Amino acid sequence: MVEWILRHAGDDRARVGSMAGMVCIVLNVVLCIAKAAIGLLSGSVSIVADALNNLSDASSNIVSVLGFKLASKPADPEHPYGHGRYEYLSGLVVAVLVLLIGVELVKSSIDKLLAPEPMVFSLALVVVLLLSIAVKFWMAAFNRRLGERIESETLLATAQDSKNDVIATAAVLASAIITRVTGIELDGWMGLAVGLYIGWSGIQLIKDTVDPLLGSAPDPRLVEHIRSKIMSYPGVLGTHDLMVHDYGPGRQFASAHVEMAAESDPIASHDTLDNIEQSFKDEDGMIVTLHFDPIVTNDPAVVDMRNRIDALAKEIDPRVSIHDLRTVPGPTHTNVIFDCLRPEDCALNASELKRELAESVQAEYPKAVAKITVDEDYVSAEQ
C-alpha cells in the first residue's frame, strides 16, 4: 500500500498525506462500527470507549486531510511564505478532539463505576478486539513509513496514535478476559484508564503542535547540517547568528552570518556565499540568506586578541563564543568592540554575562574598554 501510494502520488507531498488519511478514515470507521456494536451488545463501557476513540481517530484523519490540502496552497500576496502552517493548525484541532474524547470517556467510565452493569462476554467480542489490534498495528507501520518518506510530523504522530491504540485495545481485551475468568468487574476501571490515557495523549499532542506555531528551536540535526555545509566551503572561517524560521513542513527559511577574510577579494567572497545559498536551495529546498562578516586575518595582534577574548568567554561558559571583533585605538584607551553569543540556558543573564566578560577583558588588557553586544542563541546549539 505504501509503495502504491508513493507511485501514484509521485512527489506531491499533499497528495501522499491525503491518500494516507483516506485509508485511515475508512479503517477507523469500520473499526468504530464493529466495536460500537459489540460494546453495546455486551454492555461494555470500555469497548464503547475504544469505539469512540476510533471515531475520534477518523475525525482526526479528516482534519489531517484538510490540513494537507490547505497547506499545499501556493503563496499569495497576503501569505508570501505559503500556507504550510495549516498542517500545524490541523494537528492542533486533532489534539483538541483527542482531549475532548478522553474527557467524555472518563465521565462515562465514572458513571459505570457508580452504577455497574455486568458485561456479556462473547467470542465475537474477542475477535473484534483482536482484529482491531492487528489493523491498528498495520496502520502504525503504514503511517510511519509514509511519514518518514515525506518527513511529515502529522503522519508520524498518526503512527504513534495508532501504536497507542494497540496498547489501549489490548488493555480492554485483557480486562474482558480477566472479568470472564475471575468474575472481577474491571470494565469501568479499564474504561477510566483508557479515557485518562487518551486525555493525556491529547494534552501531549496539543503541546507538540503548539510548539512550532510559537517558534520552537529547530532540530539540532538541521542546525548541525546547516553549519557543516557552510563551513565546508573554501574561505569560510566561521559562522554564527543562525536563525531558522518554520512556515510549515518543507517551508523553512534560514539566515546566518559567515566569517571570511577581510583581505580577500569581496567579489570572490560574495560569489562563495551565492554558491552556498544556491546549494541549500537545490539540495535542501531551503531558502538561506547569508551575511558576509569580514575578519582581519593579517594582523597578528588583532588575531591574538580575538582568540584570547574568545578563550576568556569560554572560561565563563564553554558554549559562549565571540565574533565580529574590531578595535578602535585612542590616545588613552582602545575600544574593543565585539558580539558575544549567549546560550539560551546560560546560568548568567545577558547583563551579567556582559559585565563578567568586560571585567575579564579589562584584566587581560588594562587599556582596553570592551563594548559588548550580547546575541541570544536562537537555535540552542553551539555555533
Side-chain angles (χ1 to χ4, degrees):
M1 177 64 75
V2 171
E3 295 303 323
W4 184 88
I5 288 177
L6 291 172
R7 185 167 59 251
H8 284 75
D11 295 329
D12 190 335
R13 188 174 183 280
R15 193 177 179 194
V16 172
S18 297
M19 293 174 73
M22 295 303 297
V23 171
C24 293
I25 289 170
V26 172
L27 292 176
N28 278 315
V29 169
V30 170
L31 289 176
C32 175
I33 293 173
K35 287 182 185 178
I38 293 297
L40 292 174
L41 290 174
S42 64
S44 170
V45 67
S46 61
I47 296 178
V48 172
D50 210 22
L52 290 176
N53 184 33
N54 288 131
L55 182 61
S56 74
D57 289 342
S59 302
S60 301
N61 297 142
I62 293 172
V63 174
S64 296
V65 170
L66 291 175
F68 275 110
K69 292 287 187 183
L70 292 172
S72 65
K73 292 173 59 179
D76 55 41
E78 289 77 25
H79 307 90
Y81 298 104
H83 299 79
R85 284 180 176 171
Y86 268 122
E87 192 171 328
Y88 296 148
L89 290 173
S90 69
L92 180 58
V93 173
V94 168
V96 172
L97 288 174
V98 171
L99 177 59
L100 292 177
I101 289 293
V103 172
E104 288 301 316
L105 296 185
V106 168
K107 290 170 59 178
S108 62
S109 298
I110 291 175
D111 291 340
K112 181 67 179 287
L113 290 172
L114 296 176
E117 297 178 1
M119 181 180 70
V120 179
F121 186 87
S122 67
L123 179 61
L125 181 149
V126 175
V127 171
V128 167
L129 293 183
L130 286 175
L131 178 63
S132 174
I133 291 172
V135 171
K136 281 293 184 177
F137 187 82
W138 180 87
M139 289 172 64
F142 168 75
N143 283 291
R144 176 160 295 280
R145 283 188 64 192
L146 282 178
E148 290 174 347
R149 288 289 291 272
I150 68 172
E151 298 183 350
S152 168
E153 291 297 329
T154 298
L155 292 182
L156 291 176
T158 302
Q160 183 60 46
D161 187 41
S162 296
K163 183 179 177 182
N164 293 343
D165 288 342
V166 170
I167 298 172
T169 303
V172 171
L173 178 59
S175 75
I177 293 174
I178 292 172
T179 299
R180 173 70 173 178
V181 173
T182 66
I184 301 174
E185 186 59 54
L186 296 177
D187 186 49
W189 291 107
M190 193 58 68
L192 180 61
V194 172
L196 290 172
Y197 177 75
I198 294 172
W200 176 250
S201 296
I203 293 173
Q204 293 299 110
L205 286 172
I206 289 174
K207 179 182 180 300
D208 291 342
T209 52
V210 165
D211 278 350
L213 289 171
L214 293 179
S216 58
D219 187 332
R221 292 173 297 181
L222 175 62
V223 172
E224 180 57 30
H225 171 69
I226 294 173
R227 181 182 181 280
S228 297
K229 176 172 280 194
I230 293 174
M231 293 297 298
S232 69
Y233 279 75
V236 174
L237 303 176
T239 179
H240 57 86
D241 285 358
L242 171 63
M243 298 181 69
V244 180
H245 305 277
D246 188 343
Y247 290 94
R251 293 172 175 82
Q252 290 177 315
F253 298 77
S255 62
H257 288 212
V258 178
E259 298 174 352
M260 306 182 78
E263 306 79 32
S264 63
D265 181 358
I267 300 298
S269 298
H270 187 271
D271 184 67
T272 298
L273 297 184
D274 278 348
N275 291 336
I276 300 174
E277 292 172 345
Q278 191 63 43
S279 175
F280 276 109
K281 185 176 182 179
D282 294 340
E283 299 174 8
D284 302 284
M286 179 184 295
I287 303 298
V288 177
T289 303
L290 302 177
H291 173 77
F292 171 44
D293 275 351
I295 300 297
V296 175
T297 61
N298 61 354
D299 186 335
V302 174
V303 172
D304 289 344
M305 176 179 283
R306 182 170 62 245
N307 292 337
R308 180 55 187 151
I309 293 177
D310 189 62
L312 292 173
K314 285 180 167 48
E315 290 178 6
I316 298 173
D317 186 317
R319 299 167 299 166
V320 174
S321 61
I322 71 161
H323 55 87
D324 290 351
L325 182 143
R326 64 189 186 278
T327 61
V328 181
T332 59
H333 67 276
T334 297
N335 286 332
V336 181
I337 307 165
F338 60 90
D339 293 352
C340 175
L341 189 64
R342 173 186 174 274
E344 184 272 335
D345 58 347
C346 181
L348 303 177
N349 62 35
S351 297
E352 293 168 340
L353 177 60
K354 181 188 293 188
R355 181 175 62 254
E356 188 166 332
L357 184 53
E359 290 173 354
S360 297
V361 172
Q362 181 74 42
E364 186 76 15
Y365 301 99
K367 292 187 177 182
V369 176
K371 305 290 184 179
I372 307 171
T373 298
V374 176
D375 294 335
E376 299 295 333
D377 189 352
Y378 292 102
V379 297
S380 298
E382 187 174 347
Q383 297 298 298

